[in-house]
Amino acid sequence: MTFVESDERLALRKAVSDLGKRYGHDYYVRKAREGGHTTELWQEAGKLGYLGVNVPEEFGGGGGGIGDLAAVCEELATAGSPLLMMVVSPAICATIIARFGTDAQKQQWLPRFADGSVVMAFGITEPDAGSNSHKITTTGRRDGGDWVLNGQKVFISGVDGADAVLIVGRTEDAKTGKLKPALYIVPTDAPGFTYQKIEMDLVTPDRQYTLFLDDVRLPGDALVGSEDAALAQLFAGLNPERIMGAAFATGMGRFALNKATEYANTRSVWGAPIGAHQGLAHPLADAHINIELARLMTQKAAALYDAGNDMAAGEAANMAKYAAGEAGAKAADQALQTHGGNGMASEYGMGALVLASRVGRIAPVSREMILNFVAQHSLGLPKSY
């Protein structure tokens, strides 16, 4: 057992950090306020192989695991240029297709995941389902050799820049008549597929959308993998999502803490830097400790997942996501407090950072649902919902 990352992982972190710093937070905010995308950063990260570190080598990827991809995600966020679609496209979608896709689906999609030339969004949340995925009503029905999809999704990230969306739907079991989960690859230019932007207070280039699927006709091979294995396929993507969400949150927390310590070291009042006062120094130290603890749990979850221990990885991934969400939000809040009145000024960006940090406590799964999971599955307490 080791708690030290390999030299290869550390070198990957250093290279990605250098790339992220060349773009930085000013680039990220400018793109967000202009209504643009961080396309240049995404494309360069893809060409350098960073977006495909978890894709099998036979398809042009790095052949690494979710731990390597999480390291890339974390370092870009720490540099102030987080790529939210990393949580979705290479982590969820590429993982599911690599593990469960047909040979044709792997050949079609994985090489483009590997070099970042394709972006795939992920559609699971629905207006009337929320955290209860058992109530998903998006349905696919057979029509000859095709599938016809109808339904609606909400809070789906990055659809405007995506080539396709991996839609979580249901299909009717011919034997029982009951609806069972199924995953479909839906091109964003498919007839009957439309989307509408959700206005948000978040300052981010990765916007949220409501999706409408009205008799969207798809070929038979749009179904991912086996029609009978979709639940297993879905959970194969959700554990990486939680691990990546944790990496995203700890990266943002590290960015916030770096900004706060820089300010605390340079802002001088009463003849000394404000960081010399324990009223600021101790909360920042506490935030650092919590971020490091969350990072350690994230690395454990990734190691378990990459070792093929899905059951243990599920528990650890949920715990990592919870710890990272709390630590990131606390770091951002303390960073704003450290800046005092300047924390409210747009010049410093602390207010936008505080709001963005709350995402880690809400998505892709809320802190309350994680506590439900841990209470029931880790502690053996009665189910509360």
Side-chain angles (χ1 to χ4, degrees), residues 135-201:
K135 287 194 173 183
I136 286 175
T137 58
T138 296
T139 306
R141 62 175 175 82
R142 285 281 192 183
D143 185 19
D146 294 344
W147 290 98
V148 178
L149 263 62
N150 283 280
Q152 184 178 341
K153 299 291 181 180
V154 69
F155 288 110
I156 309 304
S157 304
V159 180
D160 60 329
D163 302 277
V165 184
L166 184 61
I167 293 288
V168 181
R170 291 182 180 274
T171 184
E172 186 175 297
D173 190 308
K175 294 180 180 179
T176 66
K178 294 182 179 179
L179 294 178
K180 57 184 181 180
L183 303 178
Y184 302 91
I185 298 174
V186 181
T188 51
D189 60 358
F193 178 92
T194 56
Y195 53 91
Q196 180 178 328
K197 186 171 74 171
I198 301 171
E199 296 298 332
M200 308 280 285
D201 286 337

Side-chain angles (χ1 to χ4, degrees), residues 23-113:
Y23 286 85
H25 194 58
D26 289 343
Y27 161 82
Y28 179 85
V29 172
R30 184 176 74 253
K31 289 292 184 179
R33 296 198 185 279
E34 291 173 352
H37 297 282
T38 50
T39 305
E40 300 90 350
L41 175 56
W42 180 276
Q43 290 179 344
E44 185 168 358
K47 289 177 182 177
L48 293 170
Y50 300 148
L51 301 182
V53 292
N54 64 318
V55 174
E57 288 183 291
E58 62 185 294
F59 297 104
I66 200 66
D68 297 309
L69 191 66
V72 173
C73 180
E74 182 188 348
E75 293 305 324
L76 289 176
T78 303
S81 288
L83 294 179
L84 178 61
M85 292 308 290
M86 280 195 68
V87 180
V88 179
S89 189
I92 303 175
C93 301
T95 296
I96 290 174
I97 292 174
R99 287 186 63 173
F100 296 99
T102 64
D103 289 340
Q105 287 168 344
K106 292 176 183 179
Q107 292 290 345
Q108 179 182 359
W109 294 103
L110 292 182
R112 293 190 287 163
F113 281 124

Side-chain angles (χ1 to χ4, degrees), residues 124 129-136 170 234-235:
I124 181 171
S131 297
N132 188 356
S133 57
H134 296 288
K135 287 194 173 183
I136 286 175
R170 291 182 180 274
L234 177 58
F235 282 108

Side-chain angles (χ1 to χ4, degrees), residues 128 169 267 368:
D128 297 323
R267 172 67 170 164
E368 290 76 18

